[in-house]
Every structure is written in structure tokens, then in C-alpha cells.
Amino acid sequence: MTMKKEIKPDYYDTFTCIADKCSFTCCQEWKITVDDDTYKKWNCLSLTKQDNQYLDQYVKQKDGTRVIALNEHKQCPFLNEQKLCKLVLSFGDEVLSETCVLFPRQIHEFEDRKEYSLVTCCPEVVDFMNQQDKICFTKNLNELDEDMLFQIRTMMITMMQDQQFSISKSLMMIFYILLDIHQKGILKGIGEYKDEATLKELSDAIDNMQFQRLDTFEENNELFLDMAENYRKQELYTSYLEPIAVRAENLSGDYDQNKMIVQLQKFEKQFSAYEKLFRNYLVVEIFSNSLMPESDLESMVVMTQWIAMEYTVMKHAIFLSWLIDGQEELSYTVVRDYMVVVSRMMGYDQEDIYEFLNKSFEHLIWEWGYMALIIGA
């Protein structure tokens, strides 16, 4: 039997959980799924011999899925005061649910290959990304002769890593190309956009467009409030979400437009210091979420919309926090923490993403102008 190729970011194997040293534990304010095999094990296990309560008593049904019931502090009941897992201390890793064993790893298995990545729901992963000058993979994606969807994704990654284009322009160009290929068909479309002259023409066209900064601000403000709504109702991530959500609500009414333009300009200068980090984040998001084993071209378009929306919500959350802090300098801790929070808020399954987009927008697939609106110049 032929061994499957394995593709992963080159820092993947160096990652280890830092457990009690973590600044943002994954055992709090989050849905921790319990798979069937783990649930069966927990039916006959208790934390101590004196404890008559088996582990399955800590599980509840939520949205049709078994999850660990968090305690009154919104923490996993198995988390001890030292931020270590009681299950691991008592039984070892083999008793953990699949979610806890894998997190923050993500694995997609295709017919001919396995792809591995690390998600930004973990602050240690964000730190890893921040340390990379450029995301490299264990295999050169451009040298792999894979199917057309793989080639399209490689083109998307290459474009996101091309520093002659800003992040916003890269996202707009990627989405334009995806829509065009979706309309024309894969074979015709992908060949056209391998031509540098075509890409320059597209880039120049975007440069000549007029973007209304306040329209982008207002749309992103509403997007953020929409995404935060359920988490606020459940009182999750309260210390992070509530102050900025209240500020967003206040800004949904009247505000001084001239003052806001000045603040947005100042923020962009501060945010630009993290361009490398966000470029790396988007490369990994495109690699891990735009192409999955059951993907087709439509799902690539849809997932690219979601990735762009996650980025804009993330950026807007950071902006709101920066406004509240009233600091000229944007701290890395604020950036990292809101990357983690928004990643956890928007870490939906593909089925849920489709449901959200269908409910929230007139059409599942956006017009290009909407992408341009939320991304901005």
C-alpha cells in the first residue's frame, strides 16, 4: 500500500501544549465535544474510588451533540486549580475525548494525502505564527501535481504571501478569481490567472476604485455584533466581548464621522505592525479551511467568504478594544487574545456556516462588491 503524502506547516511538529502556563485555557467558556467512544469509557469511570458519580454525569446534550457541562465559572469541571486536567492526572491521555486529544490540531484526510494544521483558537499557536517570517510547508505546494481544487488553493496561498499586494487587496483578488472561475469553469479559469499580466490588470483595477471607509466601518460593526450576540446571551468571554460590544452598540447610532476617520487612520498605522502575523494567519486558514476532503468549487467560495468575515470581525474587535484603551500603541497581547476569542466564536462546522450565511444574506455566494465592502481599502 502506498503511503499517503503528509503536508503540514513546518512548525507543526514542534507544537506542544503548555498546560498550566497557558494564558487562555481551552478548558473554559467553550463547547468541548465528547465522542461516542469516550462517552462509553466514561460510563464506568469515576474520578476517585470514593466518588459515586461516573464521568458521564458531567456530559450534557447541546445542539444535538454531547458536550462537557461547564461549571458555574464556565470552566470544564475536570480543570483543577493549577489549570491542569484531573482526568489526565488520574487516568492519562487515553481517557480524554477526541477533541481534547487533538486540539488545537486539525487533520484532513484525502484519498492521496493527509493535511495537518494548527488552529488559532489557541494562544500558543498564535505565538508560533507570530514567530514565522513566512508560513512554509513540509512539501512545496507549487511542485505538487494535484487536482484542480488543490491548484486553486495553492494559487490563493501564493497570492496571500505575495507582499506586493496588501492583505485587503489579496483577499479581494482571491475572491474575484474564485467567483470568475466558479462562473467560467475550473479548466478555463485557473489557466487565465496564472498569467502575471492578468493579475496586474486586476490589481490596477482595484487601485482605481473608490472605497468609503465609514461604510466599511459600519458594516463591520454590525457583523461583529451579529457574531457576538449568542456568546453575550450565554455570558461567554464576557470580559472580552461585553465592553467592546457595548462600545459597538453606542457607535451604531450617531458618531462624529470626522473623528472616526482620524481614529481609523491611526488604528490602521498601529495594525500594520501585525501585517506579517495576519498574513500568516490567513495563509493557514486558507490551507486548512478552504479545501476539505468533500469540497467542491462552491464550498471553496463559501469558506473563503467565512475566512474573510472572520478576519474582518477579528480586526474590528481589536479596533474596538484599542478605542476603549485609549492607547496610541496596539499591544500584541490584545491582538493575540482577540484572535483567539474570535476564532473560537467563529469556529463553526461547515454545515453551520452554510446555515448562518443562508440566514444572514440574500444569497449564499456574495457579490464581489460585498467582499470589497467588508474588507475595505
Side-chain angles (χ1 to χ4, degrees):
M1 183 181 291
T2 306
M3 287 283 289
K4 289 187 176 183
K5 294 187 289 288
E6 293 189 343
I7 308 173
K8 49 184 104 167
D10 58 6
Y11 58 85
Y12 180 90
D13 289 329
T14 61
F15 172 83
T16 54
C17 176
I18 58 174
D20 57 322
K21 299 181 182 65
C22 184
S23 61
F24 206 131
T25 177
C26 55
C27 304
Q28 182 167 333
E29 299 180 277
W30 210 20
K31 185 169 71 175
I32 306 167
T33 307
V34 179
D35 55 277
D36 291 343
D37 289 343
T38 301
Y39 187 67
K40 288 175 185 174
K41 289 181 194 174
W42 288 8
N43 279 329
C44 52
L45 280 177
S46 56
L47 280 173
T48 65
K49 290 181 179 179
Q50 294 76 32
D51 189 357
N52 293 323
Q53 190 169 18
Y54 292 117
L55 300 183
D56 64 331
Q57 299 300 307
Y58 294 95
V59 177
K60 70 175 184 177
Q61 286 280 340
K62 185 176 177 65
D63 301 326
T65 305
R66 286 196 194 98
V67 297
I68 296 175
L70 303 182
N71 62 23
E72 66 273 17
H73 304 296
K74 303 288 194 299
Q75 292 179 333
C76 174
F78 305 129
L79 189 69
N80 70 14
E81 292 179 358
Q82 290 74 43
K83 293 186 178 179
L84 296 172
C85 178
K86 297 175 186 176
L87 297 184
V88 173
L89 295 173
S90 298
F91 306 106
D93 290 347
E94 60 272 11
V95 78
L96 293 175
S97 72
E98 186 177 347
T99 298
C100 294
V101 171
L102 282 178
F103 183 84
R105 300 165 187 84
Q106 194 174 59
I107 303 171
H108 294 314
E109 187 157 358
F110 297 80
E111 286 186 12
D112 62 338
R113 67 186 187 275
K114 288 178 75 172
E115 296 185 348
Y116 302 78
S117 58
L118 297 164
V119 296
T120 49
C121 302
C122 168
E124 185 72 359
V125 171
V126 178
D127 288 345
F128 266 91
M129 287 183 181
N130 194 45
Q131 292 159 12
Q132 310 301 309
D133 288 331
K134 177 181 177 181
I135 299 296
C136 297
F137 297 90
T138 51
K139 294 189 183 299
N140 188 330
L141 303 183
N142 286 295
E143 292 178 358
L144 295 175
D145 185 21
E146 301 290 338
D147 60 51
M148 289 295 183
L149 294 180
F150 185 98
Q151 291 181 42
I152 291 171
R153 185 188 62 178
T154 299
M155 178 178 63
M156 292 162 65
I157 289 171
T158 301
M159 194 169 295
M160 183 53 65
Q161 291 188 318
D162 190 338
Q163 296 189 24
Q164 69 173 309
F165 306 129
S166 67
I167 288 176
S168 58
K169 185 189 281 188
S170 293
L171 283 168
M172 283 189 257
M173 289 175 68
I174 285 168
F175 192 59
Y176 181 91
I177 291 168
L178 281 177
L179 290 179
D180 200 38
I181 293 174
H182 188 252
Q183 182 180 4
K184 291 178 178 176
I186 290 178
L187 285 174
K188 183 178 179 183
I190 193 170
E192 182 179 344
Y193 290 104
K194 288 182 177 178
D195 178 44
E196 287 189 13
T198 303
L199 293 179
K200 185 179 186 308
E201 185 180 343
L202 177 56
S203 172
D204 291 345
I206 293 173
D207 285 339
N208 291 325
M209 291 178 181
Q210 296 294 319
F211 295 90
Q212 300 300 320
R213 189 184 294 267
L214 292 180
D215 289 348
T216 295
F217 159 73
E218 290 174 4
E219 183 62 22
N220 289 344
N221 205 49
E222 293 307 311
L223 275 179
F224 164 73
L225 286 171
D226 286 347
M227 294 308 309
E229 183 179 5
N230 285 337
Y231 285 83
R232 294 178 73 193
K233 285 178 179 176
Q234 296 175 55
E235 298 183 348
L236 298 174
Y237 305 119
T238 302
S239 61
Y240 292 97
L241 289 182
E242 199 56 30
I244 63 173
V246 170
R247 187 60 176 266
E249 287 170 337
N250 292 336
L251 292 171
S252 291
D254 291 334
Y255 61 90
D256 186 322
Q257 294 188 352
N258 291 328
K259 183 179 178 181
M260 180 57 67
I261 287 173
V262 171
Q263 289 172 321
L264 288 167
Q265 288 171 338
K266 286 182 178 178
F267 173 74
E268 287 293 344
K269 288 181 181 177
Q270 292 296 317
F271 191 75
S272 66
Y274 300 98
E275 180 178 348
K276 180 188 73 173
L277 169 60
F278 280 94
R279 203 178 284 275
N280 287 343
Y281 147 75
L282 285 164
V283 165
V284 173
E285 282 291 298
I286 291 168
F287 174 74
S288 59
N289 291 321
S290 71
L291 179 58
M292 301 181 195
E294 304 302 322
S295 288
D296 56 17
L297 186 55
E298 179 184 276
S299 67
M300 287 190 77
V301 176
V302 170
M303 293 308 295
T304 300
Q305 292 174 176
W306 191 258
I307 290 166
M309 195 160 77
E310 184 178 67
Y311 167 71
T312 58
V313 170
M314 206 175 270
K315 184 176 178 181
H316 194 72
I318 295 167
F319 169 66
L320 292 168
S321 177
W322 176 80
L323 271 184
I324 291 171
D325 289 345
Q327 301 295 320
E328 287 295 314
E329 189 172 343
L330 177 59
S331 77
Y332 172 69
T333 301
V334 168
V335 170
R336 182 188 62 189
D337 286 353
Y338 279 105
M339 288 181 79
V340 171
V341 169
V342 174
S343 293
R344 293 185 184 185
M345 283 168 50
M346 296 184 66
Y348 289 15
D349 293 332
Q350 194 171 58
E351 183 180 336
D352 295 330
I353 289 172
Y354 269 72
E355 182 181 349
F356 180 92
L357 293 175
N358 275 315
K359 284 183 178 178
S360 303
F361 298 93
E362 187 175 350
H363 301 289
L364 175 65
I365 294 182
W366 300 340
E367 293 181 356
W368 183 84
Y370 185 74
M371 174 68 80
L373 171 64
I374 66 169
I375 294 300

